[in-house]
Amino acid sequence: VLWRSPFGGHLLLFYFLFGVHSLFALRVLGSVFQLVWGLFGVEIPPFMNQPELSSSVSEFWGKRWNFMVQEVLSRQVYRPLRKHSVPRAVCVFATFVASGLLHAIPLVASLHASFAEFLAVTGYFVLQAVFVAVEDIFGQSTLKDGNVKGTKGDVKMDHHHSHQHTWLWRVWT
């Protein structure tokens, strides 16, 4: 619906503008969330780690973007598959498909989106899995060493994400 009339069928333009919108919306939402809970003395970890500084698609999705959803998908999709010796590439692909479904199903349910729109939203996340696979093939992935550089200092995360030990991650997962 959104990408047909305003963008004349240019799905990539929609994806780009939606990504920019999402970045700013989650920044504002995260700040408000931290402020409100902070008033009650509860420290909330940040939702993101400066995603605009990502040097790769892998770094963007794996270390910088929406930690809450990332942790849920990791616990519910990626880690259980890896536990059963499923290859990493398949686990990554399945995780992005699950993310696509998590984004597309509410769209269909609440806005009565068409099957094509459902596929477009899910397809966006599948496309991200392809980008991560291409990075892995050509050795550009920044997820292998666990280091992320940011202007607020270096962040070191293991594959289980150091921030998961806060109460918020336990509530959501």
Side-chain angles (χ1 to χ4, degrees):
V1 171
L2 294 174
W3 52 82
R4 283 190 185 152
S5 45
F7 305 109
H10 299 288
L11 194 54
L12 291 178
L13 178 60
F14 169 76
Y15 286 157
F16 174 75
L17 294 175
F18 184 74
V20 171
H21 164 78
S22 297
L23 172 63
F24 290 113
L26 282 175
R27 280 250 168 105
V28 170
L29 177 64
S31 296
V32 168
F33 202 47
Q34 287 178 312
L35 177 68
V36 170
W37 280 102
L39 294 173
F40 296 100
V42 178
E43 185 178 338
I44 303 292
F47 281 10
M48 299 181 286
N49 177 25
Q50 300 172 309
E52 67 279 0
L53 298 179
S54 299
S55 62
S56 70
V57 176
S58 300
E59 181 182 331
F60 177 84
W61 289 113
K63 305 244 174 169
R64 293 187 178 270
W65 185 257
N66 200 343
F67 296 141
M68 274 199 293
V69 171
Q70 181 186 110
E71 182 59 28
V72 170
L73 288 169
S74 180
R75 280 189 185 194
Q76 301 302 320
V77 181
Y78 184 85
R79 288 186 213 155
L81 290 173
R82 288 297 285 163
K83 188 176 182 180
H84 293 290
S85 302
V86 174
R88 179 185 177 277
V90 174
C91 297
V92 168
F93 184 80
T95 302
F96 275 106
V97 169
S99 182
L101 294 173
L102 285 173
H103 287 82
I105 290 172
L107 183 73
V108 170
S110 63
L111 300 176
H112 306 291
S114 70
F115 185 66
E117 293 162 337
F118 171 84
L119 288 177
V121 171
T122 305
Y124 170 78
F125 290 93
V126 170
L127 186 61
Q128 301 305 307
V130 170
F131 292 154
V132 169
V134 168
E135 286 180 353
D136 282 348
I137 290 168
F138 292 103
Q140 299 299 312
S141 176
T142 55
L143 293 181
K144 293 176 183 168
D145 65 2
N147 292 313
V148 176
K149 303 274 186 209
T151 59
K152 293 184 180 176
D154 292 352
V155 176
K156 176 79 171 168
M157 291 180 164
D158 61 18
H159 293 288
H160 299 290
H161 310 299
S162 61
H163 61 278
Q164 76 186 22
H165 302 292
T166 63
W167 72 272
L168 184 63
W169 308 124
R170 290 187 203 115
V171 169
W172 284 95
T173 56

